[in-house]
Amino acid sequence: MGYPFLTRMSVNKERTSMLLGYDDNTCEWCSLDDTGRMGSRKILSEHGTESEQHTQHIQFIGRNQVLVITQDKAGKWLHIYENEERAILVQSRFVKFPFPVMQAAWQEERLLLLFSIRNRSGSVRIGLYDPEKDEARWVTPDLDQPQFVFWSASTREVGVNVGGFGRVYSYSQDILPSSEIPYTEYAYPVMDKQGDLVAVSIPVEHGFQPGWIRQGEGLVHVCSMDSEPFSELIRMQLDAHQQLVLCEGITCGRWQYVQYTLDREKRFELRDYPGILTQAVLSRDRQGLIGKYESIVRPPAPGIYRFSEQTSTSTPFPIGRDERTGNYPGEEPDVIYGRIRYGQDMIPYMDMHPEGAEQVVIYLHGGPHNCLFDSFSPVISGLYQAGVRVIGLNYPGSSGFGTDYRMLIQNDWGGVDAEVIQFMREQMLSSYSNVSLYGVSYGAYLALLVAGKSPALWSNVVACAPFTDLERLYAGGGAKLRSFLQTEIGELLHDPSALRDRSPTAYVSGLSEVNIQFIHGQEDQLCPVEQTERLYRDIMENKRLSGAVGRIELHIEDMAHEAYSERIWAQKAVDFLTYSRVST
């Protein structure tokens, strides 16, 4: 895959250092100046980067102390580095601990690891593990689909959201039965807690407003009554000393930041900028943001935005690439954000339209409750550079456009979302003779379903990591997947006929008439590779019996179901979609 790819980033709470983790298992410890710009960079390599080990977790556990957790077949290795200037490995410890680590922190001079497990019933429980004693304890009871928010080792508190309510669990030195662990419940989802201040997300019409509560008081303070609400409020960061709150979220499909004082004054706002900046924190001088920046042609990299006190706007600084991660290729596509009406709903999309384009590809994200941004996509970049118009469709069910839009496919997978794709093809793109579909995960499922039902409308389909049979997906899924499907399509699960009608496997004949490329990871634990292989075999057999012509490819890659996998198969997909068919 060429240059190392940034997969993890962390900034210490003092804003003096940054950690960068790459897909080749290397890590860098970088110093930061007051503005957030990087200074010295040291590679953390003493713990080794053998092929049988992979980096599972990196984080600061002190101002000048870093934890790197690696995993091999036998268990985990905990590596502690100190001294940013020299990055010295001071400790390595092996533990046979099977669960993924969420966070780590010192508590009374002991390193503790926060983890969670999912029971067969689908419930989740959060616990703490002491590597030195090789002991674990629970800090929450069994919870139904909890959203983890924070862990404060100093105050012995864990914040979660369950069923739209916030809970802050307080554990003590005494180990209690998990059902007896005390907690404080809040009427709104909690987003952060610093001292006696609790940040909350307040549901309003068309989204969420940030607010705060003082512990022990019932009064809820809304940060702003006049600002447009967030469609999705992702994160809030309280600064109790400065009486500020930094809010991060999505509004109408665009990633944005707003900072308020606790008395409702808006200090700055960052929105409608090219690319996206995520996981951002304030720089040490509090005049900028430090985060992970990416755009359609730029892979993720550390990025900073500086505020102008005079204008209350933000100015992007150029994001450079260095010798470790290479130079980004090509020009940045011009992105037009549009909407098309379908019934009572406005369907949002991104339109990247090179001059003179004669071919269109509709790009379908996964999820289904994800959102397509102008973030890194080597497929979109490659297609645009090849002169192909790309429509990035945020179909019904996408996040980032409000709760009502997100809920449109509740108990309707493969229903209105599939209808919108065909509607767009027939109405908005009717003048094109060459229109193809590209989808990942849930988007790949939709691409196959739509193409199988109406093969004459489509030239090519690229389906990456799809599922193809809803009934089998539920029957063979683990506790997490089955719980998710019960929430999403619980009514359909009781109707085998409806499940078949909404599964691509029911449309083998139609799919035999379309050029199809399947790409799937051998280690995919979410969407079974066996479903892709079975559909491929069924199409091949139908082609043999019917004499249907057209290209079909199956690529099984050594990968799992993970973010940014597109970079692995991008060239294959672009080549397939831009291949010129020869008339016979």
Side-chain angles (χ1 to χ4, degrees), residues 13 103 105-108 112 128 137 139 150-159 167-173 181-184 186 192-198 215 240:
K13 66 180 182 179
Q103 288 186 15
W106 293 105
Q107 185 173 287
E108 297 178 350
L112 298 180
L128 288 174
R137 58 174 296 183
V139 293
F150 69 85
W151 169 38
S152 173
S154 60
T155 59
R156 300 176 180 269
E157 292 177 317
V158 174
R167 292 184 184 180
V168 177
Y169 284 88
S170 302
Y171 60 93
S172 64
Q173 288 182 319
I181 298 172
Y183 67 89
T184 302
Y186 297 89
D192 192 17
K193 184 175 184 292
Q194 298 293 328
D196 65 347
L197 295 178
V198 181
Q215 190 173 11

Side-chain angles (χ1 to χ4, degrees), residues 35 67 142 200 207 237 239 313 366 372 408 431 451 505 512 533 559 583:
T35 69
L67 173 67
D142 289 343
V200 294
Q237 300 173 63
D239 185 334
T313 60
L372 184 63
L408 283 176
S431 63
T505 49
S512 300
E533 292 172 326
M559 61 185 182
S583 300

Side-chain angles (χ1 to χ4, degrees), residues 56-238:
Q56 187 183 79
H57 185 85
I58 61 172
Q59 75 162 84
F60 287 99
I61 52 175
R63 177 189 175 97
N64 206 25
Q65 201 171 53
V66 167
L67 173 67
V68 178
I69 302 179
T70 59
Q71 177 85 42
D72 59 24
K73 293 181 179 179
K76 290 179 174 61
W77 285 92
L78 313 181
H79 311 282
I80 297 178
Y81 284 86
E82 292 183 351
N83 193 329
E84 172 195 307
E85 294 182 1
R86 297 177 59 192
I88 301 170
L89 180 65
V90 296
Q91 181 181 336
S92 287
R93 178 187 295 272
F94 176 77
V95 293
K96 287 190 174 182
F97 183 69
F99 307 112
V101 174
M102 300 161 63
Q103 288 186 15
W106 293 105
Q107 185 173 287
E108 297 178 350
E109 300 184 352
R110 304 186 79 86
L111 181 66
L112 298 180
L113 308 180
L114 189 75
F115 69 98
S116 67
I117 65 168
R118 184 176 295 274
N119 302 312
R120 291 184 179 180
S121 64
S123 63
V124 174
R125 187 185 296 188
I126 298 174
L128 288 174
Y129 174 70
D130 184 334
E132 186 174 333
K133 293 184 176 181
D134 191 27
E135 292 179 351
R137 58 174 296 183
W138 301 119
V139 293
T140 73
D142 289 343
L143 301 171
D144 184 22
Q145 300 184 18
Q147 175 198 21
F148 170 72
V149 181
F150 69 85
W151 169 38
S152 173
S154 60
T155 59
R156 300 176 180 269
E157 292 177 317
V158 174
V160 297
N161 294 319
V162 182
F165 297 92
R167 292 184 184 180
V168 177
Y169 284 88
S170 302
Y171 60 93
S172 64
Q173 288 182 319
D174 299 326
I175 299 179
L176 300 173
S178 61
S179 60
E180 298 179 14
I181 298 172
Y183 67 89
T184 302
E185 185 164 272
Y186 297 89
Y188 305 107
V190 298
M191 305 298 287
D192 192 17
K193 184 175 184 292
Q194 298 293 328
D196 65 347
L197 295 178
V198 181
V200 294
S201 174
I202 304 170
V204 296
E205 187 177 9
H206 306 306
F208 302 87
Q209 286 285 13
W212 60 276
I213 300 171
R214 194 172 296 278
Q215 190 173 11
E217 299 179 1
L219 182 62
V220 179
H221 305 265
V222 182
C223 289
S224 173
M225 302 296 292
D226 303 321
S227 297
E228 180 181 7
F230 286 88
S231 303
E232 304 279 344
L233 186 52
I234 305 296
R235 188 169 61 145
M236 295 173 66
Q237 300 173 63
L238 281 166

Side-chain angles (χ1 to χ4, degrees), residues 541-554:
E541 177 65 12
N542 187 275
K543 281 179 173 288
R544 186 185 69 82
L545 296 174
S546 67
V549 296
R551 295 176 295 141
I552 183 168
E553 297 179 3
L554 173 64

Side-chain angles (χ1 to χ4, degrees), residues 409-483:
I409 60 169
Q410 187 78 19
N411 291 305
D412 195 29
W413 281 19
V416 66
D417 45 6
E419 293 170 6
V420 163
I421 298 168
Q422 183 160 329
F423 175 80
M424 177 169 278
R425 169 67 179 97
E426 294 175 331
Q427 300 297 317
M428 180 176 160
L429 304 174
S430 60
S431 63
Y432 289 88
S433 61
N434 188 340
V435 181
S436 300
L437 293 166
Y438 171 89
V440 179
S441 191
Y442 187 91
Y445 153 75
L446 282 180
L448 292 168
L449 183 65
V450 171
K453 287 184 173 183
S454 304
L457 296 177
W458 312 101
S459 300
N460 308 288
V461 174
V462 173
C464 308
F467 55 89
T468 63
D469 187 323
L470 288 173
E471 189 171 19
R472 287 177 181 267
L473 184 69
Y474 179 74
K480 183 177 181 179
L481 178 58
R482 289 170 65 91
S483 176

Side-chain angles (χ1 to χ4, degrees), residues 239-295:
D239 185 334
H241 178 68
Q242 297 289 329
Q243 296 287 286
L244 299 171
V245 58
L246 177 63
C247 307
E248 176 182 4
I250 308 169
T251 302
C252 298
R254 305 298 300 273
W255 206 281
Q256 74 168 108
Y257 293 85
V258 185
Q259 187 186 60
Y260 296 99
T261 65
L262 295 189
D263 56 6
R264 297 183 177 179
E265 177 190 352
K266 183 187 291 187
R267 295 288 293 270
F268 71 82
E269 183 174 26
L270 171 61
R271 62 180 301 173
D272 298 334
Y273 56 96
I276 63 170
L277 183 73
T278 58
Q279 304 174 30
V281 297
L282 285 172
S283 57
R284 200 181 335 160
D285 66 2
R286 303 180 187 278
Q287 296 303 308
L289 294 174
I290 315 165
K292 185 176 72 171
Y293 178 83
E294 60 188 285
S295 67

